[in-house]
Amino acid sequence: MAARIDHAVTAGTFSLDGQTFDVDNNVWVVGDDTECVVVDAPHDVDAILAVVGGRRVRAILATHAHDDHVRVAPALARATGAPVLLHPADRVLWDQVHPDEAPGGELRDGDTVEVAGAALTVLHTPGHSPGACSFHAPALGAVFTGDTLFAGGPGATGRSYSDFGTIIDSIRNRLLTLPPETVVHTGHGESTTVGAEAPHLDEWLARGH
């Protein structure tokens, strides 16, 4: 049975640098009727488990460790028996959210996560955070970019541990080099495609935020 992408939206808050905002987060579940991986674990374990259904969860992949993306990751790990995998450069952010509980494993650039016959390749795409990662699934024609690339431009870089030049380099060199028809599934908001975003790189540079 071929792998597919399932989706849910969960609502909660994002807090960093002493400020808190209401946010809606996407949750992406990749797999077939038997097994899956979960991309990000924001605000609501039950909502994520409803998408998972009775499937075995092989891993919980964190695009980055801002609290709105990993808030329920340990609880989801306990509920499913799956490890939370995070790039080690984001451990500083993880520890702000879960100081007493470590992730279950590490993501490294070039790693491959296999699920339901599909391979998700880890692309280290820092800028929004030091350890931000995207997950490219060529067989599904998709990339999961977290808060690195949205419909309309790069993720925010105005907070601690973020950098505009770095996120632009990540987008230019790691994401816009993917096939233009690749669907970009983001951490918040609507999906887009590489081809739809690529022509706007110079505009983003001119905005410089």
Side-chain angles (χ1 to χ4, degrees):
M1 185 173 295
R4 66 179 187 273
I5 300 168
D6 296 312
H7 174 232
V9 178
T10 65
T13 61
F14 162 61
S15 299
L16 189 66
D17 298 338
Q19 294 181 294
T20 298
F21 306 90
D22 292 329
V23 288
D24 291 337
N25 285 65
N26 292 320
V27 179
W28 303 100
V29 179
V30 183
D32 58 15
D33 287 346
T34 303
E35 64 178 17
C36 62
V37 296
V38 176
V39 178
D40 285 340
H43 319 285
D44 186 335
V45 170
D46 289 340
I48 300 169
L49 291 175
V51 180
V52 168
R55 293 180 280 180
R56 175 194 174 205
V57 179
R58 296 180 60 90
I60 301 157
L61 308 179
T63 60
H64 62 297
H66 284 155
D67 64 349
D68 60 319
H69 289 258
V70 298
R71 187 182 312 281
V72 301
L76 184 63
R78 288 190 291 271
T80 61
V84 180
L85 304 182
L86 176 73
H87 193 283
D90 255 25
R91 186 62 189 270
V92 62
L93 288 163
W94 172 277
D95 288 345
Q96 293 181 17
V97 187
H98 301 296
D100 301 319
E101 192 158 5
E106 294 185 349
L107 296 169
R108 299 284 185 176
D109 187 65
D111 284 354
T112 299
V113 179
E114 302 274 351
V115 62
L120 282 72
T121 300
V122 178
L123 307 176
H124 183 212
T125 49
H128 182 68
S129 69
C133 288
S134 301
F135 307 109
H136 181 215
L140 298 174
V143 62
F144 303 89
T145 56
D147 290 3
T148 296
L149 178 62
F150 292 114
T157 53
R159 301 189 180 282
S160 296
Y161 309 106
S162 65
D163 182 78
F164 179 73
T166 302
I167 202 171
I168 288 294
D169 285 346
S170 292
I171 292 169
R172 178 195 288 121
N173 299 327
R174 307 308 304 277
L175 299 178
L176 298 187
T177 54
L178 299 176
E181 66 273 14
T182 303
V183 178
V184 178
H185 293 304
T186 62
H188 309 270
E190 298 298 318
S191 297
T192 181
T193 65
V194 168
E197 301 307 318
H200 302 289
L201 181 62
D202 287 343
E203 298 170 28
W204 306 337
L205 286 167
R207 292 206 306 257
H209 65 75

